[in-house]
Amino acid sequence: MIKRRMFLGLLVAMGATTLMAADPAFDKLDAGKKELMQWFLDNEYGHAPVGRPADMTFQGNSIVFAGKVKVDLTVKLPAGASKEKPCPVILMGDFRAWNNGMHDDKYSHEQDKLQKDIDAYVTSRGYAIVHYNLNEVAPDQPRRRMIASLKQQGKPLPPYPYGVFEVYGGESDRTATSWGTIRAWAWGHSRVLDWIETQPMLDAKRVAVCGHSRLGKTAICAGVTDPRFKITYSNASGCGGAKLNKFKADRSEHIHQITRGFPYWFCQNYLKWRGHDLEITHDQDEWMGLVSPRCLYVASGSKDDWAGPAAEKAAADKVAAAWEKQGLKGKVGYHCHEGGHAFDLRDFKLFLDFCDTRL
Ligand code: GCU
């Protein structure tokens, strides 16, 4: 009895935020990293309520959560892939993830073609590519807006319209540190990696997670929170991704703007940092630095002012400098393509050159 009371007392003394440390992201981290991870999950992305769920099943190339939410994967293998020589994998959310939960009907022909070109290019370089529509994990919309727009279009409500939030919580029971959509998507990437581990043609120890823009923010969150990803690549991820907050880039997105447009991507605590970009306790270089000792790759577009290319490069440079001091050399890559907010074959070429000697 005394022991139980002491235990409860200790829990109270530790405070509620420490209790949230159940997020699977904390597994296998050293103390310094735990503190930093805690800060970022408490203040920015929120905590995943569950790791690998016991009720997750695999059905061919699909993942099903609690028999309710189904996520379909597209898998392309390079020529000559075999069980004897499993191939390295590039994992990404595909371009359908820009369709706000409305799925294939808005998957435009150009995006469809670009994804096919990327698949062909990546496999021609000897890598497998796995991609999927992240809206199937969690729609890229606030729940109420999503339901209203489905009704307006006369579409039937799916039984679990809000994806994994409906199954594992974090929507109606939301707290200030509950997972936002970026954390939920990153968690989805980890579940796909669970699936990759069951595939004999794929080498689960050689998986690079990548993504563009909101999915670049997601790729970083996945790489940081799951040490099984060997390389993390963020393309034009900007605010809440690779962009330093404490870097004056006037035309780039700031916290007050991203939390007005997309508050649901983050945990509610992030709203407290509106207007305080320059004073924020920890900046995005520290967040990306949590992928060490694994590799980090960052890319920008020279005219992508909203993402803040100079501030993204400054963050990558800071990570590289900090890691060099720890004896980690050649683990950070960076390029800046000519032009705006794009993610195309030019980026994959340079990224795969980086992967060739590291994945
Ligand atoms: C918006 C948003 C960005 C985001 C981008 C995207 O522009 O403000 O933060 O990166 O959408 O995902 O395309």
Side-chain angles (χ1 to χ4, degrees), residues 98 140 212-215 217 236-239 253 257-258 262 265 306-307 341:
W98 269 264
D140 191 3
H212 172 55
S213 209
R214 66 198 67 186
L215 302 187
K217 309 180 211 295
S237 57
C239 184
E253 185 173 32
Q257 291 154 322
I258 200 164
F262 306 94
W265 284 352
W306 187 239
H341 196 57

Side-chain angles (χ1 to χ4, degrees), residues 93-101 111 133 135 140 211-215 341 343:
D94 63 32
F95 291 97
R96 287 171 295 175
W98 269 264
N99 297 339
N100 293 337
Q111 286 169 332
N133 182 355
N135 281 297
D140 191 3
H212 172 55
S213 209
R214 66 198 67 186
L215 302 187
H341 196 57
F343 188 36

Side-chain angles (χ1 to χ4, degrees), residues 123-179:
T123 51
S124 77
R125 295 271 312 246
Y127 296 84
I129 182 161
V130 177
H131 57 86
Y132 63 110
N133 182 355
L134 276 163
N135 281 297
E136 294 179 351
V137 173
D140 191 3
Q141 294 224 51
R143 191 174 192 281
R144 247 182 302 152
R145 198 195 302 158
M146 184 189 175
I147 290 173
S149 72
L150 282 173
K151 276 195 187 142
Q152 203 188 6
Q153 295 175 70
K155 288 190 175 172
L157 259 194
Y160 301 95
Y162 219 51
V164 296
F165 290 112
E166 309 240 4
V167 184
Y168 304 114
E171 179 48 29
S172 54
D173 55 348
R174 201 173 240 332
T175 70
T177 60
S178 293
W179 54 353

Side-chain angles (χ1 to χ4, degrees), residues 81-112:
S82 71
K83 289 183 187 160
E84 288 66 44
K85 210 172 157 280
C87 31
V89 184
I90 305 298
L91 169 64
M92 62 184 279
D94 63 32
F95 291 97
R96 287 171 295 175
W98 269 264
N99 297 339
N100 293 337
M102 296 298 133
H103 302 296
D104 295 320
D105 49 347
K106 277 204 196 162
Y107 191 18
S108 79
H109 293 309
E110 299 95 85
Q111 286 169 332
D112 194 8

